Amino acid sequence: MKPSLDKLYKFFKLEAERSYDNHAVMGGLERMLDRWEAEARAEALPEEIVQAVVTRIRDYSHLTPKSRAEALDGLWRRLQRSFSDLPVLAFDFQEPPPQSPTEDLPEQPGPETSTRKEVLHRRKPTSPAPVEMRSPGEPAALYAPVSVLDGIGPRHAQTLERLGIRTLRDMLYHFPRRYDDYTRMKPINRLEYGEEVTVIGTVQNVSTRSLKGGQLKLTEAIISDGSGALRVTWFNPWIAKSLQSGDQIVLSGKTDQYLGRLVMSNPEWEPLEQQQLSTNRIVPVYPLTAKITQRWLRQQMHQVVSYWAGRVQDPLPQALRQSAELVPLYTALLQIHFPDSWDDLERAIHRLAFDEIFLLQLGALRQKRAWQARTAHPYPVEDDWLQAQLDRLPFSLTNAQLNTLRDVRQDLASGFPMNRLIQGDVGSGKTAVAALAIAIVTSHAAQAAFMAPTSILAEQHYINLQKLLAGQDASSETGSQAASPALDPAQIRLLIGATPEAEKREILAGLSDGSIKVIIGTHALLEDPVSFANLQLAVVDEQHRFGVEQRATLRSKGDNPHLMVMTATPIPRSLALTVYGDLDLSVIDEMPPGRLPVSTHVLMPRERERSYVLIRNQVELGRQAFIIYPLIEESENSETLAAVEEQQRLQSEIFPRLKVGLLHGRMPPEEKDQVMTDFRDGAYHILVSTTVVEVGVDVSNATVMLIEGANRFGLAQLHQLRGRVGRGADKAYCLLIPDSPDQAENDRLRAMTETNDGFILAERDLEQRGPGQFLGTRQSGYADLQLANITDVHLIEKARQHAQALFEQDPELSQPEYALLAETLKRSWRGGKGDIS
Ligand code: ADP
Ligand code: MG
């Protein structure tokens, strides 16, 4: 071991033994720096190492003991990576005894005292009462509003609120969106063009200049470090006020070229004597909003993180952390904001992402258990009876449909309430399976409800279910079983907003006296006056269109009814098991035979005319077309073609002899339904629409889906839109026109031309955009996953396994070491304690 490193080893070890009181060196660790630096250089230690030590130790005295432990730990690990002969050093830190809540920061303003902060605090009437959310193991002050911080007044507090930050704890959980790597430090004479680098030097000269007739002010400085001089410019006149000749500063940024010389434009900079947050390290880059800067936010963050990260109690007990190989929560919080190395950052993200999945999974397991504790009416059916029902259908089920039906049949017979998600791509035939579930339940004289998000969809289901459940028995040579009574058409009804009052009253009566067996409808089913004699099965179609509460409302209209939710959003199994961990899952991963894939092409904007020709030809063959636009009205962005204006243009200039309809989201729901119905009934040849058309409406006569501004849509959305065509027997086309030619190379558009398989597209979408976009927040029953990368199957599996193990051992989380975990879980499950579905 080099003597300089041995010295560090001794000092650090001593510090750890002294619980980081900064007395390992007389006068504080900083005191050793000058001599150590000289020694290290003499031993030819790499410059990055010297700088890493110097920058970490320089502000050591300002840190809390816990942060000191962190700093030494990070530093030592970095050294160990460079020098394999270094011994292991453990920088444990004893958690401080529990804080009295008011010790550090006022939880609420005291009535008498009136320090500046408290006055500010009191002036903010909208600030949430921090006490409510407090969890037992954490100091209440963590839930104090950010305005208790020095340097955050009411105005900044308001700005931060726009980022979702109200409390100190929110700040801890406001994670960087990316990081700049400024860990490479170089002398000026060794800089190369285009590298991201850190330079330390002395300011030689500062001046400001006006450019472009005074519109732009430029600050220019010359920095030298003994090896050379570097010209640096900022488009910011204020910097000139804070820089002076002779100042020692640290600069981080990308080197550029100007008039043949290396320069730096708009680098980050900090005084050398200050702790470096924006330079000379892996620098966090936060999501921002107007009126605050990265630099400012970093400073506030550092204030909060270095003091508070160590005061957040870790909800995961040590034993669990160890077996899951996770860093402690305080380490994770420190390192995700101000990482010492990429490895430390990775470990931090891993830990925090683990928490997200782990909590999600644990919540789902508990929810599932709560459901399983209930009983439901069993609805067994005979094989012969079921076969007779299958024979009655106009088609034979695919294997995937049959498998799903088998799951459903088992659930219904089990005596426990079914909670099943049926997942299947658009057109995979989910409705037929639902129809059979309804047939099973109603054959036992119980009632079923089928809820869809729009009137037109409800109507479509109504027509289909009439056919499937009350239609004439097609087969003639059936035996006695087939004589089992199909439903009478009058026992199947439709309830939507537009249902006339008199009919509505009649339906309500029929539902509550039990004479109506099957009701199909929209949100109208959720209304108060709707009550059932014996609701035993609730089916929810396109379930992501409904909130968690709406599903719960429908369920509450029966006594523990069986629940079947259907979605056409195909998500990978690992994700489904986690996000819908409280539901059982059946996947219909096969299309009915004879479906032609939709022929998909990306066209250049200038080739638009070709798509019009195709539409004209298809219309001549008696088919119909959709044309989709991304926005309703012309926005500032002139390239965005707007549905409203385009409909007029298309009608008058392009298709004067055809009927062009218009559908958009700002229309009242009845009007939307009317337009859709008219289109289905053939009143328009072409329907110009925004994405409101994406929900599963069947217009089997439509064969063209033209999507303008296609680069603006997500993959899942494009796939849903494409699913609107190709539902009949005719060959169908999907044409994607991006805003500009260079967007034609767009990955998503290419993916669309490569496959018609929704699951493959879903995985691509997840890789590209993360689950938040894909799922929305409504359907998951859980706040967004911030960090967990849902394509990280390894992480998900690990978190699931640990959740499962813990759940089996202590499902109530009743042991004391799980108290905080139980509390955290309660907070993170939307809807809190009870039923979430
Ligand atoms: P989705 O899963 O998108 O809700 P639907 O249930 O609306 O799909 O079915 C799409 C179309 O496919 C319907 O017209 C339906 O009658 C038809 N269909 C469903 N199952 C089969 C099958 N096994 N064979 C042939 N056609 C089927
Ligand atoms: Mg459907």
PDB file of all heavy atoms in Angstrom, residues 128 130 147 195 470 698 724 739:
ATOM      1  N   PRO A 128     -50.422  21.476   3.168  1.00  0.00           N
ATOM      2  CA  PRO A 128     -51.165  20.385   3.784  1.00  0.00           C
ATOM      3  C   PRO A 128     -50.770  20.227   5.245  1.00  0.00           C
ATOM      4  O   PRO A 128     -49.642  20.534   5.604  1.00  0.00           O
ATOM      5  CB  PRO A 128     -50.710  19.170   2.984  1.00  0.00           C
ATOM      6  CG  PRO A 128     -49.349  19.535   2.484  1.00  0.00           C
ATOM      7  CD  PRO A 128     -49.341  21.016   2.299  1.00  0.00           C
ATOM      8  N   PRO A 130     -49.117  18.610   7.879  1.00  0.00           N
ATOM      9  CA  PRO A 130     -48.103  17.569   7.780  1.00  0.00           C
ATOM     10  C   PRO A 130     -48.391  16.379   8.698  1.00  0.00           C
ATOM     11  O   PRO A 130     -47.972  15.274   8.414  1.00  0.00           O
ATOM     12  CB  PRO A 130     -46.814  18.270   8.207  1.00  0.00           C
ATOM     13  CG  PRO A 130     -47.196  19.586   8.756  1.00  0.00           C
ATOM     14  CD  PRO A 130     -48.628  19.843   8.451  1.00  0.00           C
ATOM     15  N   SER A 147     -40.835  25.176   2.806  1.00  0.00           N
ATOM     16  CA  SER A 147     -40.540  26.558   3.153  1.00  0.00           C
ATOM     17  C   SER A 147     -39.805  26.677   4.490  1.00  0.00           C
ATOM     18  O   SER A 147     -39.349  27.752   4.852  1.00  0.00           O
ATOM     19  CB  SER A 147     -41.830  27.381   3.174  1.00  0.00           C
ATOM     20  OG  SER A 147     -42.774  26.768   4.004  1.00  0.00           O
ATOM     21  N   GLU A 195     -14.941  16.759 -25.394  1.00  0.00           N
ATOM     22  CA  GLU A 195     -15.046  15.862 -24.236  1.00  0.00           C
ATOM     23  C   GLU A 195     -15.748  16.552 -23.070  1.00  0.00           C
ATOM     24  O   GLU A 195     -15.686  17.767 -22.914  1.00  0.00           O
ATOM     25  CB  GLU A 195     -13.678  15.327 -23.821  1.00  0.00           C
ATOM     26  CG  GLU A 195     -12.716  16.379 -23.324  1.00  0.00           C
ATOM     27  CD  GLU A 195     -11.360  15.778 -22.961  1.00  0.00           C
ATOM     28  OE1 GLU A 195     -11.276  14.555 -22.776  1.00  0.00           O
ATOM     29  OE2 GLU A 195     -10.384  16.549 -22.853  1.00  0.00           O
ATOM     30  N   ALA A 470     -79.229 -15.251 -26.635  1.00  0.00           N
ATOM     31  CA  ALA A 470     -80.655 -15.473 -26.834  1.00  0.00           C
ATOM     32  C   ALA A 470     -80.981 -15.869 -28.265  1.00  0.00           C
ATOM     33  O   ALA A 470     -82.133 -16.035 -28.634  1.00  0.00           O
ATOM     34  CB  ALA A 470     -81.427 -14.196 -26.460  1.00  0.00           C
ATOM     35  N   ASP A 698     -66.453  -1.780 -33.320  1.00  0.00           N
ATOM     36  CA  ASP A 698     -66.392  -2.640 -34.488  1.00  0.00           C
ATOM     37  C   ASP A 698     -67.082  -1.981 -35.672  1.00  0.00           C
ATOM     38  O   ASP A 698     -68.290  -1.826 -35.673  1.00  0.00           O
ATOM     39  CB  ASP A 698     -67.212  -3.902 -34.159  1.00  0.00           C
ATOM     40  CG  ASP A 698     -66.405  -5.151 -34.346  1.00  0.00           C
ATOM     41  OD1 ASP A 698     -65.363  -5.065 -35.009  1.00  0.00           O
ATOM     42  OD2 ASP A 698     -66.824  -6.191 -33.815  1.00  0.00           O
ATOM     43  N   ARG A 724     -58.850  -0.851 -35.201  1.00  0.00           N
ATOM     44  CA  ARG A 724     -60.197  -0.446 -35.635  1.00  0.00           C
ATOM     45  C   ARG A 724     -60.510  -0.968 -37.023  1.00  0.00           C
ATOM     46  O   ARG A 724     -61.668  -0.982 -37.422  1.00  0.00           O
ATOM     47  CB  ARG A 724     -60.357   1.086 -35.634  1.00  0.00           C
ATOM     48  CG  ARG A 724     -60.225   1.799 -34.337  1.00  0.00           C
ATOM     49  CD  ARG A 724     -61.138   1.236 -33.289  1.00  0.00           C
ATOM     50  NE  ARG A 724     -60.393   0.427 -32.353  1.00  0.00           N
ATOM     51  CZ  ARG A 724     -60.783  -0.742 -31.891  1.00  0.00           C
ATOM     52  NH1 ARG A 724     -61.907  -1.267 -32.274  1.00  0.00           N
ATOM     53  NH2 ARG A 724     -60.031  -1.400 -31.042  1.00  0.00           N
ATOM     54  N   ASP A 739     -45.101  13.795 -39.274  1.00  0.00           N
ATOM     55  CA  ASP A 739     -45.106  15.235 -39.516  1.00  0.00           C
ATOM     56  C   ASP A 739     -44.070  15.657 -40.543  1.00  0.00           C
ATOM     57  O   ASP A 739     -44.291  16.562 -41.322  1.00  0.00           O
ATOM     58  CB  ASP A 739     -44.781  15.988 -38.219  1.00  0.00           C
ATOM     59  CG  ASP A 739     -45.940  15.949 -37.257  1.00  0.00           C
ATOM     60  OD1 ASP A 739     -47.087  15.905 -37.736  1.00  0.00           O
ATOM     61  OD2 ASP A 739     -45.702  15.976 -36.041  1.00  0.00           O
TER      62      ASP A 739
END
